[in-house]
C-alpha cells in the first residue's frame, strides 16, 4: 500500500477529493493530513474520514519536528494541496521527487512568493488574460519552480471577478489532481 501525506492550510477541498478518490482504490491511500492552521476546515474533513492529523507551527516545520512525524509514516508521496507556507529544504532533501504541489495558474506565470489563492486570480484578471489554468509540479527550494508534471489551461474570457476565476480553476484541480497523483504512484 502506497502512502500519501497531504499538507493543506485552508478549506481542503482538494484534500477531500484526493481522500475520496483513493478510498475507492486499494494500492494507495491518505495516511495523514498535516496543517499549519488550527482553524483549517481541512481538519474537520480529515476527522470525518478518520485520517490522522498533525497541526504544527513554523518552528516545528522548520526545526525537525514535522520531519520526525513524516519519518514515522514513511510516505511515498507528499502532496501540497493549498499549503501556503514555504516547504523547508531539509524535508525536500529527505524526500527527493516525492513532494508535489498544485498551483492555481499556468506557471511560470503568476507564481512566487505571495502568489496564492485569490491573489493569483486577481493578478490574472488585472492582466486581462484570456486563459489561466493549473500546474502540478515537483517541489524544490524555490516557490513554484520545481519541474512541471502536469498543466491544464481553462478559458476565462467570460469571468468578471477573481472569485469566478477561482471557481473555474478549482474545478480543474478537482478533476485532475487525484488522477495525476495516481499516475505518480503506479
Ligand atoms: C487551491 O486552488 C490551490 O491551487 C491553491 O489554494 C487552493 C486551495 O484550495 N494553492 C496555492 O495557491 C498555493 N500557491 P483547497 O484548500 O480547497 O484545496
Amino acid at each position: 500500500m502506497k502512502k500519501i501525506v497531504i499538507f493543506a492550510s485552508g478549506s481542503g477541498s482538494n484534500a477531500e477529493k484526493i481522500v475520496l478518490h483513493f478510498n475507492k482504490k486499494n494500492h494507495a491511500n491518505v495516511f495523514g493530513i498535516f496543517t499549519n492552521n488550527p482553524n483549517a476546515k481541512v481538519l474537520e474533513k480529515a476527522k470525518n474520514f478518520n485520517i490522522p492529523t498533525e497541526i504544527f507551527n513554523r518552528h516545528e516545520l522548520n526545526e525537525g519536528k514535522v520531519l520526525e512525524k513524516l519519518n514515522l509514516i514513511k510516505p511515498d508521496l507528499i502532496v501540497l494541496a493549498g499549503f501556503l507556507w514555504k516547504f523547508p529544504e531539509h524535508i525536500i532533501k529527505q524526500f527527493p521527487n516525492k513532494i508535489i504541489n498544485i498551483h492555481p495558474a499556468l506557471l511560470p506565470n503568476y507564481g512566487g512568493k505571495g502568489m496564492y489563492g485569490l491573489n493569483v486570480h486577481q493578478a490574472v484578471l488585472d492582466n486581462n488574460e484570456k486563459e489561466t489554468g493549473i500546474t502540478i509540479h515537483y517541489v524544490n527550494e524555490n516557490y513554484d519552480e520545481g519541474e512541471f508534471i502536469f498543466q491544464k489551461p481553462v478559458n476565462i474570457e467570460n469571468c468578471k471577478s477573481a472569485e469566478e476565476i477561482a471557481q473555474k480553476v478549482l474545478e480543474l484541480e478537482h478533476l485532475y489532481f487525484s488522477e495525476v497523483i495516481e499516475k505518480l504512484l503506479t
Side-chain angles (χ1 to χ4, degrees):
M1 174 71 79
K2 297 271 175 75
K3 295 177 180 173
I4 301 163
V5 166
I6 297 176
F7 280 69
S9 301
S11 82
S13 70
N14 278 290
E16 182 173 32
K17 291 281 174 194
I18 295 164
V19 170
L20 287 170
H21 180 93
F22 285 97
N23 275 351
K24 288 185 257 156
K25 313 275 166 178
N26 48 25
H27 68 288
N29 218 330
V30 177
F31 279 69
I33 295 186
F34 284 47
T35 186
N36 58 300
N37 176 4
N39 302 314
K41 290 221 177 69
V42 72
L43 287 170
E44 288 163 36
K45 291 179 172 136
K47 209 171 161 194
N48 291 339
F49 290 118
N50 278 322
I51 295 173
T53 55
E54 290 292 341
I55 305 169
F56 54 83
N57 60 31
R58 226 177 258 280
H59 179 80
E60 288 165 330
L61 178 65
N62 292 326
E63 305 300 329
K65 192 88 187 283
V66 170
L67 178 61
E68 270 174 37
K69 301 275 182 190
L70 286 171
N71 281 335
L72 291 176
I73 301 175
K74 298 191 178 19
D76 297 282
L77 195 67
I78 296 172
V79 175
L80 312 190
F83 182 63
L84 301 186
W85 284 0
K86 192 166 191 299
F87 215 65
E89 257 178 62
H90 72 280
I91 303 184
I92 297 169
K93 285 212 176 87
Q94 185 97 6
F95 294 94
N97 288 323
K98 285 187 179 176
I99 309 174
I100 65 170
N101 177 50
I102 191 159
H103 186 78
L106 295 173
L107 292 173
N109 298 328
Y110 304 104
K113 199 164 197 285
M115 276 297 178
Y116 59 84
L118 279 182
N119 296 349
V120 176
H121 306 306
Q122 191 61 52
V124 167
L125 186 73
D126 291 346
N127 281 342
N128 292 314
E129 298 283 4
K130 288 191 170 56
E131 64 173 27
T132 184
I134 62 172
T135 304
I136 298 168
H137 63 94
Y138 287 106
V139 172
N140 69 12
E141 305 71 36
N142 302 318
Y143 269 114
D144 303 327
E145 284 183 14
E147 186 193 333
F148 295 171
I149 301 163
F150 178 88
Q151 286 194 303
K152 196 85 186 175
V154 62
N155 186 289
I156 48 162
E157 280 171 291
N158 294 329
C159 290
K160 297 193 169 39
S161 67
E163 286 79 7
E164 275 179 63
I165 297 175
Q167 189 54 39
K168 279 206 158 185
V169 168
L170 205 57
E171 278 167 26
L172 270 192
E173 296 185 358
H174 293 168
L175 211 52
Y176 291 105
F177 202 11
S178 298
E179 267 181 35
V180 170
I181 292 169
E182 185 169 349
K183 277 206 188 104
L184 290 174
L185 288 171
T186 44

